[in-house]
Amino acid sequence: MTSPDTGGDREKVVTKLTSTLRQDLKVRAALHGLDMQDAVEAGITAWRGLGSNPAAVDTAGAETYSTFLPVGLWEGFRDDCKDRGVSLTQGIAQAVSIWLEANPVPEVKRPAMVRRIVVCNQKGGVGKTAITAGLGEALAEDPAALVPVRVSKHFAALLEEDDRPEDPLALEDLPGLGQRVLLVDFDPQGHLTRQLGHELLPMGGDSLTNHMAGDSKGELSDLVVTVDEDRFGDRLHLLPACTDAFLLDVRIASVRAREAALERALRSVEADYDVVLIDCPPSLGISMDAALYFGRRRDNEDTGNSGALIVVQAEDSSADAYGLLTSQIEDMRSDLALDMDYLGLVVNHYDARRGYIATSSLQAWMDIKDPRVVGVVGDLKEQKEAVRAKRPLLAYAPRCEQSIAIRALAREISK
């Protein structure tokens, strides 16, 4: 069945396709940057060029499916199906299957050098842990699946409550980033570890602190656990915290080149990952120096590949804490001659309904151009619910506004 397309030289075609083939077609076409109709056209053209029928495809449960094809293509395809003795439903299923086989999932683009992202702010309660976890999840999502993303151009709309983007048309379905990610719980409070459903490492056993202090009891890789959710595959891992991290500053104070202690400890595992994310404690001590040193720009590393991601809130006390942290970063830049990049500011827990303080503070953050705001994440209930359920936010509520905003953040800092 066909009907003319008044918008161009295509006609509307109504046929049947199984839900599985339809979903695979939608995802694969998006992965290759194509419209579904173009993929169907290419599949039909390839099918018509075959010398014999391909293997039959299971079409049980096929449902009505419509698309637009060049005028005359469907008529010729229908005649070919009749000549070959196959139904239109079987023919279109074979054509789509041929296109899928010829266009596999593209390989994930991996960084030339492992990215090291230090999520920090010496002020507690700004949501560093939630941003660390969410960012790691967004980076690790299935590259063969589509996820909803809202891009950064919508940040400005968050300044006014009435202009907040609620229209689903503002969303874009994009493939997951498919990165191999290590989350490092560098905070002795262990919130990241608990939020992802794991236990803190026991006192008296091995820990990241021991490795940094030169007193390891085994391989660091033996401490790493998998965040077990289907949408992340085996790409999202966690190095849990241990409460012995409260003693970290004391234990590494006398260690040789103490600023490099974290880098030395993680050296044995970082090559297994595309991205290493450090969830820092609310501190400006020696451990923070070690985290910042780990995130410095290394020799031959591109600017912006690694660095500090600073989490703030739209209120006044965050500005004070921001000033203290950036002073520490600038001191390290100067004292140790480091190339230290700012990856940006994330304004977390934002809610325009809190009035002038929130909106004016957000505007003040946006007025800072270096580092610039790379993400605005709302203060919504899903994150609290995910913490209570001890599940990753992007697995617990993958389509909520917070998940969508965090995916935008992941892409913004991956440009």
Side-chain angles (χ1 to χ4, degrees):
M1 173 180 176
T2 65
S3 60
D5 174 20
T6 57
D9 57 352
R10 289 177 177 261
E11 58 185 358
K12 184 177 181 180
V13 173
V14 180
T15 182
K16 287 188 174 182
L17 199 62
T18 65
S19 59
T20 299
L21 280 176
R22 183 173 181 172
Q23 180 63 19
D24 288 347
L25 176 64
K26 177 183 178 181
V27 172
R28 199 73 58 82
L31 292 176
H32 287 275
L34 297 174
D35 288 332
M36 290 174 67
Q37 63 185 17
D38 294 327
V40 174
E41 177 187 346
I44 289 176
T45 301
W47 183 90
R48 296 185 69 189
L50 295 176
S52 60
N53 287 342
V57 177
D58 184 3
T59 59
E63 300 173 346
T64 300
Y65 170 70
S66 61
T67 187
F68 288 91
L69 296 174
V71 174
L73 179 63
W74 185 251
E75 183 177 355
F77 175 65
R78 185 173 53 196
D79 292 342
D80 287 348
C81 286
K82 184 177 180 180
D83 291 342
R84 295 186 184 185
V86 298
S87 67
L88 278 172
T89 300
Q90 178 61 213
I92 195 67
Q94 291 177 3
V96 169
S97 297
I98 288 170
W99 186 85
L100 289 170
E101 186 175 341
N103 294 270
V105 174
E107 290 188 10
V108 173
K109 183 180 179 181
R110 307 207 177 277
M113 182 179 294
V114 59
R115 303 188 66 200
R116 301 165 317 285
I117 300 175
V118 180
V119 184
C120 53
N121 191 332
Q122 66 93 22
K123 183 181 185 298
V126 297
K128 293 186 296 293
T129 296
I131 295 301
T132 303
L135 180 56
E137 294 159 25
L139 289 166
E141 282 188 302
D142 187 353
L146 298 182
V147 293
V149 181
R150 179 168 285 125
V151 295
S152 59
K153 65 183 179 182
H154 298 286
F155 288 169
L158 291 165
L159 287 168
E160 299 293 338
E161 180 181 358
D162 293 341
D163 292 333
R164 284 182 296 169
E166 301 292 345
D167 183 355
L169 294 178
L171 299 180
E172 187 174 359
D173 283 335
L174 298 173
L177 295 174
Q179 300 288 289
R180 302 166 299 189
V181 179
L182 175 63
L183 302 171
V184 178
D185 194 345
F186 200 44
D187 187 343
Q189 298 173 93
H191 294 318
L192 178 62
T193 300
R194 293 191 179 95
Q195 285 184 20
L196 294 176
H198 290 274
E199 297 296 325
L200 271 65
L201 297 170
M203 289 286 287
D206 205 5
S207 67
L208 177 59
T209 299
N210 287 338
H211 283 259
M212 290 179 65
D215 190 27
S216 60
K217 301 180 180 181
E219 298 295 329
L220 189 69
S221 58
D222 293 338
L223 304 179
V224 175
V225 295
T226 300
V227 179
D228 192 14
E229 293 280 354
D230 288 345
R231 70 186 307 111
F232 311 125
D234 188 31
R235 294 178 297 275
L236 184 60
H237 294 171
L238 167 71
L239 178 55
C242 178
T243 52
D244 67 356
F246 280 112
L247 304 172
L248 179 59
D249 282 7
V250 174
R251 292 190 63 187
I252 68 172
S254 59
V255 170
R256 176 185 58 82
R258 64 191 186 189
E259 293 86 2
L262 180 59
E263 182 167 304
R264 288 195 299 267
L266 295 177
R267 186 174 294 146
S268 64
V269 298
E270 70 170 38
D272 297 331
Y273 300 97
D274 300 308
V275 185
V276 177
L277 282 151
I278 310 295
D279 183 27
C280 292
S283 166
L284 295 177
I286 298 173
S287 56
M288 190 65 219
D289 284 346
L292 291 171
Y293 186 88
F294 177 70
R296 79 194 188 287
R297 193 190 325 147
R298 295 176 180 173
D299 292 342
N300 301 317
E301 183 172 12
D302 291 339
T303 301
N305 187 65
S306 300
L309 184 68
I310 303 175
V311 182
V312 298
Q313 288 181 305
E315 41 79 34
D316 294 338
S317 62
S318 273
D320 297 333
Y322 167 77
L324 292 171
L325 175 61
T326 53
S327 292
Q328 181 176 9
I329 293 174
E330 294 308 315
D331 286 345
M332 287 197 69
R333 274 177 162 175
S334 175
D335 295 344
L336 300 178
L338 300 182
D339 290 321
M340 177 70 65
D341 294 332
Y342 290 104
L343 300 183
L345 300 171
V346 181
V347 183
N348 196 26
H349 297 163
Y350 180 72
D351 188 345
R353 294 173 298 182
R354 292 177 181 144
Y356 175 74
I357 290 179
T359 56
S360 62
S361 294
L362 177 58
Q363 184 62 65
W365 290 121
M366 288 187 168
D367 288 341
I368 299 174
K369 302 305 180 185
D370 184 17
R372 65 188 178 91
V373 172
V374 291
V376 178
V377 181
D379 187 11
L380 302 171
K381 64 183 178 63
E382 286 83 0
Q383 175 62 46
K384 299 178 181 67
E385 292 173 351
V387 170
R388 174 66 65 88
K390 296 187 183 303
R391 291 189 64 197
L393 172 65
L394 272 67
Y396 176 81
R399 300 192 67 85
C400 77
E401 283 294 324
Q402 286 166 314
S403 295
I404 291 168
I406 287 173
R407 290 192 189 101
L409 166 63
R411 283 160 172 78
E412 190 69 17
I413 67 170
S414 297
K415 289 180 179 177

